[in-house]
Amino acid sequence: MDSHGKAAGRPQATLEGMLERVTYHDQESGYTVAQLKVKGKADLVTVVGHMARPSAGSILHLTGKWEIHSKFGPQFRLVSCRTSQPASEYGIRKYLGSGLVRGIGPEMAHRIVNRFGRETLKVIEETPRRLLEVEGIGPKRLEMIRAAWKAQKQIREVMIFLQSHDISTAYAVRIYKAYGDDCLQVVTENPYRLATDIWGIGFLTADRIASRLGFSSNSSLRVEAGLLYTLNKASDEGHCYLPYRELVSRCVDILQVPQEAVRQAVADLTAAKQLVIEDLNRDPDDFQPDNKAVYPASLHLCETSIAKRLLRLDADAGQRLAYDPGSALAWIRQRLKIKLAPNQRKAVETAIESRPMVITGGPGTGKTTLIKAVIELYRRASKKVFLAAPTGRAAKRMSEATGHPAKTIHRLLGYKPGRGFQKNDRNPLDCDLLIVDEASMIDTVLMHHLLKAVAGPSTLILVGDVNQLPSVGPGNVLKDIIASGILPVVRLKEIFRQARRSRIVINAHRILEGKMPLDHNPGDSHLSDYYFINQKEPEEVLRTVNTLVAKRIPKRFGFSALDEIQVLTPMHRGTLGALNLNRVLQQSLNPSGERIEHGGRHLAIGDRVMQQRNDYEKDVFNGDIGFITAIDRSLKRVSIRFDRRLVQYDFNELDQISLAYAVSIHKAQGSEYPAVVVPVTTQHYVMLQRNLVYTALTRASRLAVLVGTKQALAIALGNDTPRKRYTGLESKLRFARI
């Protein structure tokens, strides 16, 4: 997010008045509900928004917009706030008696104003020793008042300075809390620090502030900050590094500076150990100048660590299980009443050898059966087994499928806010076997921390579908490990008999082969688990998706529209993007729930919502889905149920939450839903890839409905070249082995 909080595109109004009372104020975020006395208005005006230390009696000069709240009526939602001191004796009494100045309460404020009248604030500012003339104020209390007045003055100066540079009060509060009394010095000396230190303020906003402060476009601070911003944006795209020439080119385009300035910034940041450069030339006879990779230092550390630890795990494979492979396979057949396929038997034999390995395969190929077989073998040998997955939903599915408890990787590693992962190389996991499912979702940083906690004697099995979309975070870890050939890889391809009856499974494998999915035969009397509905125009697709979710699927298949049907879409924006789909589906599925407005969105009791980032204090994680159960306006709090657990969110924390009637296909990774509905149109052209459609289809356990055009589907199937990710893990594994 790179915003300074303006309500873009909305007409703004101004309002001026005296702050009569503060109904609610959150010290962390500055979110405030207050009552304003406005000249010419008999009733107090309700003002909502972000303020730094609001105090009754202050004169507020506000910009914002009027809105009508369904329960509380008209209110003014402020965008920016400038404060000035009161001029009337009444206002000064309220101002000083509000608790603003330590050492002055309501009674003392009354005495001071009785003594100095309208000159009170001037006395405190210019000749504070005169306060000794007031009964009850001695030298000790005087010093307390002087210190508090000075601190309050500094806050006012900071807020005026920041708002004069087009920073909203909400961000100004965050900046002041981050830097305190050093705020002005930090911002004026290096405003680019805001981009890395303050959540929500990105490089572009910091750059605007720097420009207003007179920083040159060729300033070394600007070029270095812009370079780091470019690499951070690249990591958001999944890259661990950028090729040197591409990085320079991107920076020149973004910053509009000479190449030499960017090259110097690369050299300076490398010397400062913020960047790491790797030579990409492998053949001395084919040397190319500037053929090198530029990494953020943290990602280079993670990638290098993964390679070293995987190789060490393979070299230090734990003690072999005391099983003859033949007798072990016979025992599994009897114990689980199954007959393993050849590749599954190979996986069991590798597990007996206690070597780390990878198991990969599509739906219906027996990954879960194989995991259960390996767990039973280790249990029989009285070995300790841990199961884990990247997300809560994936861990829950793993536990239900195997009958063995599974945790998220973060919970397994004992992540604690502010303290990091408690399980690491100094305090490793105490287990003989660790099986990690949905490994394609694990990015470079998380895999680094996971491997740090796996001790040499432990056996590690990574399970995942390499044909799915790669991780949201940087890297392509599972694919790189498989491509390196460093670990044994078991590829499950045979579709088991019970899975062959599912069109979802059959069509998923057809998609991998670039073949069009088999449609449901209208002449069939039985219901299928896969349908394709032809609709060309985006508006018609939108109407069809809405009708399917709200009416047709619940009526014909009995699925709950709120609990069991998930719309998956390739994009966030546009007619068929997640934002618009959520707006339309909310109106159909939850039109009358009590609601609040937050950040331009409406959230209502009964809404299906998704957590957008990990919140370790609340113990909810990116991708977790819940339902809003209550909205408490007096406490400014929303209650959300995740599974059977109720989690509380303050209003200022709701930027962690989004509506989840529709979610992006990327966000759905690791999850499984009874029914999915997927729009597939040429409007999504830039996102149409084979692995995207494959991932969407395989999220459905019992019903998948695609809505759109066969042309768009054909485009996706024909695009089997995933977007290039710049990662170095495969080569690090290969060269380390050599």
Side-chain angles (χ1 to χ4, degrees):
M1 180 176 172
D2 192 1
S3 169
H4 38 95
K6 281 197 172 182
R10 294 172 177 169
Q12 289 194 346
T14 60
L15 188 66
E16 183 176 311
M18 189 185 76
L19 184 57
E20 181 69 21
R21 64 174 175 268
V22 178
T23 307
Y24 171 82
H25 176 68
D26 184 277
Q27 290 190 349
E28 286 300 311
S29 68
Y31 183 81
T32 302
V33 180
Q35 303 298 314
L36 200 69
K37 181 180 286 187
V38 178
K39 187 176 180 180
K41 290 183 179 287
D43 296 329
L44 296 177
V45 173
T46 300
V47 174
V48 295
H50 297 269
M51 299 183 196
R53 297 194 183 181
S55 53
S58 300
I59 302 300
L60 302 184
H61 310 268
L62 311 175
T63 61
K65 63 185 180 70
W66 289 100
E67 59 185 23
I68 305 297
H69 192 280
S70 59
K71 185 174 181 180
F72 299 105
Q75 58 185 28
F76 190 83
R77 182 169 296 278
L78 66 90
V79 171
S80 66
C81 170
R82 183 170 57 85
T83 304
S84 60
Q85 295 173 355
S88 69
E89 291 188 9
Y90 172 79
I92 294 171
R93 282 195 188 94
K94 289 193 73 72
Y95 184 64
L96 291 179
S98 65
L100 171 77
V101 180
R102 189 164 173 253
I104 301 179
E107 176 58 31
M108 184 58 69
H110 186 77
R111 289 187 206 168
I112 294 172
V113 175
N114 277 353
R115 177 69 183 83
F116 300 112
R118 293 189 178 188
E119 297 295 309
T120 294
L121 300 183
K122 184 178 179 181
V123 167
I124 297 174
E125 177 70 32
E126 298 178 2
T127 55
R129 289 194 62 81
R130 289 194 60 193
L131 292 174
L132 294 172
E133 300 172 17
V134 178
E135 182 185 353
I137 297 182
K140 187 174 181 180
R141 179 173 289 210
L142 174 62
E143 285 308 307
M144 187 187 302
I145 294 171
R146 290 175 72 170
W149 185 259
K150 181 181 177 182
Q152 184 64 24
K153 181 181 178 182
Q154 287 174 327
I155 293 173
R156 285 202 311 274
E157 289 175 349
V158 167
M159 299 303 289
I160 291 170
F161 172 83
L162 294 174
Q163 291 181 13
S164 71
H165 289 87
D166 210 21
I167 300 176
S168 73
T169 309
Y171 288 133
V173 172
R174 292 183 190 176
I175 293 168
Y176 184 80
K177 286 188 176 296
Y179 304 129
D181 292 341
D182 297 328
C183 184
L184 292 180
Q185 182 180 350
V186 169
V187 174
T188 52
E189 288 182 357
N190 184 5
Y192 294 102
R193 281 186 57 181
L194 299 176
T196 53
D197 295 350
I198 312 297
W199 184 86
I201 294 183
F203 169 77
L204 300 179
T205 298
D207 199 32
R208 282 193 292 270
I209 297 169
S211 177
R212 286 169 177 258
L213 290 171
F215 279 75
S216 164
S217 62
N218 290 342
S219 159
S220 61
L221 288 175
R222 178 176 187 265
V223 180
E224 289 177 10
L227 193 152
L228 294 174
Y229 164 75
T230 303
L231 282 174
N232 286 335
K233 291 285 285 184
S235 71
D236 291 342
E237 298 166 12
H239 303 301
C240 289
Y241 71 84
L242 281 180
Y244 182 81
R245 284 179 290 221
E246 182 173 338
L247 173 61
V248 172
S249 176
R250 287 194 187 193
C251 286
V252 168
D253 288 344
I254 292 170
L255 302 174
Q256 295 295 296
V257 295
Q259 280 194 11
E260 189 52 43
V262 179
R263 291 175 181 271
Q264 185 62 49
V266 173
D268 291 344
L269 289 170
T270 303
K273 301 189 183 306
Q274 290 184 261
L275 303 180
V276 175
I277 295 180
E278 271 192 10
D279 190 355
L280 295 177
N281 289 299
R282 303 300 183 203
D283 184 355
D285 297 328
D286 187 28
F287 179 84
Q288 298 178 38
D290 287 341
N291 185 25
K292 48 195 176 185
V294 184
Y295 283 84
S298 59
L299 286 178
H300 185 268
L301 169 68
C302 292
E303 200 176 76
T304 304
S305 168
I306 292 170
K308 288 180 179 177
R309 293 178 188 280
L310 277 177
L311 289 162
R312 192 178 303 151
L313 272 179
D314 194 41
D316 299 343
Q319 186 176 3
R320 187 182 189 278
L321 293 182
Y323 292 134
D324 168 71
S327 61
L329 291 167
W331 181 82
I332 288 171
R333 187 184 306 117
Q334 182 180 13
R335 171 82 172 175
L336 299 179
K337 303 294 188 287
I338 57 170
K339 182 179 180 181
L340 298 178
N343 275 349
Q344 290 178 313
R345 292 198 292 271
K346 178 184 173 184
V348 170
E349 291 167 2
T350 306
I352 290 173
E353 294 172 359
S354 295
R355 285 195 65 193
M357 67 171 164
V358 174
I359 299 172
T360 185
T365 56
K367 294 192 298 295
T368 301
T369 299
L370 180 52
I371 291 171
K372 290 168 70 174
V374 173
I375 291 171
E376 289 298 325
L377 277 179
Y378 271 74
R379 276 178 165 174
R380 186 187 180 198
S382 301
K383 300 291 185 180
K384 188 178 289 187
V385 178
F386 287 171
L387 305 184
T391 67
R393 294 177 72 86
K396 183 179 178 182
R397 282 175 51 213
M398 192 182 191
S399 181
E400 291 170 349
T402 63
H404 192 82
K407 296 180 178 180
T408 64
I409 294 174
H410 282 84
R411 288 196 181 104
L412 181 74
L413 301 183
Y415 187 91
K416 295 188 181 300
R419 295 169 57 192
F421 293 97
Q422 303 306 293
K423 293 294 181 181
N424 48 44
D425 45 2
R426 298 182 301 279
N427 181 29
L429 294 167
D430 179 21
C431 66
D432 300 292
L433 171 66
L434 172 61
I435 302 178
V436 183
D437 199 8
E438 297 287 357
S440 64
M441 296 180 64
I442 305 177
D443 64 26
T444 299
V445 177
L446 186 56
M447 182 61 80
H448 159 68
H449 287 290
L450 176 65
L451 293 178
K452 278 181 70 175
V454 180
S458 300
T459 300
L460 173 68
I461 299 179
L462 299 174
V463 183
D465 186 345
V466 75
N467 294 303
Q468 286 191 32
L469 292 168
S471 59
V472 174
N476 211 345
V477 176
L478 183 65
K479 187 174 182 179
D480 283 352
I481 291 172
I482 292 173
S484 73
I486 198 69
L487 297 183
V489 177
V490 176
R491 299 177 187 271
L492 303 178
K493 296 182 179 179
E494 180 183 346
I495 304 175
F496 282 82
R497 185 177 59 200
Q498 63 270 27
R500 290 182 198 145
R501 294 191 292 268
S502 168
R503 288 257 171 135
I504 293 174
V505 172
I506 292 170
N507 284 334
H509 288 271
R510 288 180 66 85
I511 287 170
L512 287 181
E513 297 169 2
K515 298 176 181 177
M516 289 294 284
L518 299 174
D519 286 341
H520 172 66
N521 186 346
D524 289 349
S525 58
H526 66 278
L527 293 175
S528 176
D529 61 357
Y530 172 86
Y531 295 86
F532 189 97
I533 298 176
N534 281 290
Q535 292 289 359
K536 185 175 181 180
E537 298 300 326
E539 291 74 15
E540 284 301 318
V541 175
L542 179 63
R543 277 191 284 270
T544 301
V545 169
N546 188 28
T547 304
L548 282 167
V549 174
K551 297 177 182 178
R552 289 168 60 180
I553 292 177
K555 182 177 180 180
R556 192 168 186 193
F557 293 88
F559 292 122
S560 164
L562 279 173
D563 292 333
E564 297 179 302
I565 305 172
Q566 182 63 63
V567 176
L568 304 178
T569 180
M571 301 181 76
H572 289 284
R573 307 270 176 196
T575 305
L576 296 169
L579 293 174
N580 191 52
L581 281 164
N582 272 313
R583 181 185 62 81
V584 171
L585 290 166
Q586 184 190 44
Q587 290 173 355
S588 292
L589 301 178
N590 191 27
S592 58
E594 181 188 347
R595 61 193 60 219
I596 57 169
E597 190 268 342
H598 180 81
R601 306 170 300 154
H602 288 92
L603 298 173
I605 293 175
D607 273 341
R608 177 186 175 106
V609 294
M610 175 180 278
Q611 177 76 11
Q612 291 297 312
R613 61 179 184 267
N614 293 339
D615 188 323
Y616 304 104
E617 293 183 356
K618 295 184 187 300
D619 202 28
V620 289
F621 298 90
N622 191 354
D624 286 355
I625 285 182
F627 291 87
I628 296 177
T629 60
I631 296 174
D632 189 326
R633 296 180 187 279
S634 61
L635 296 176
K636 307 299 175 187
R637 187 175 295 165
V638 172
S639 301
I640 301 177
R641 174 175 53 81
F642 292 95
D643 291 328
R644 296 183 180 86
R645 201 163 56 86
L646 207 60
V647 181
Q648 305 295 332
Y649 289 77
D650 290 338
F651 280 9
N652 63 293
E653 296 175 315
L654 291 176
D655 54 356
Q656 298 185 39
I657 293 297
S658 68
L659 291 173
Y661 300 104
V663 302
S664 72
I665 296 170
H666 281 84
K667 280 287 189 183
Q669 288 183 93
S671 298
E672 188 176 79
Y673 312 95
V676 302
V677 179
V678 188
V680 183
T681 75
T682 52
Q683 189 181 66
H684 300 137
Y685 184 85
V686 295
M687 297 294 292
L688 291 178
Q689 294 176 314
R690 190 182 298 181
N691 62 351
L692 188 89
V693 177
Y694 174 79
T695 300
L697 182 60
T698 54
R699 298 310 88 207
S701 62
R702 293 158 60 190
L703 176 66
V705 183
L706 275 57
V707 184
T709 66
K710 291 294 180 71
Q711 178 192 8
L713 187 55
I715 290 170
L717 298 184
N719 184 5
D720 192 29
T721 306
R723 293 184 172 185
K724 169 72 175 173
R725 287 195 171 196
Y726 293 116
T727 68
L729 181 58
E730 179 187 347
S731 63
K732 285 181 175 63
L733 289 167
R734 285 182 184 274
F735 280 86
R737 181 174 61 179
I738 293 171

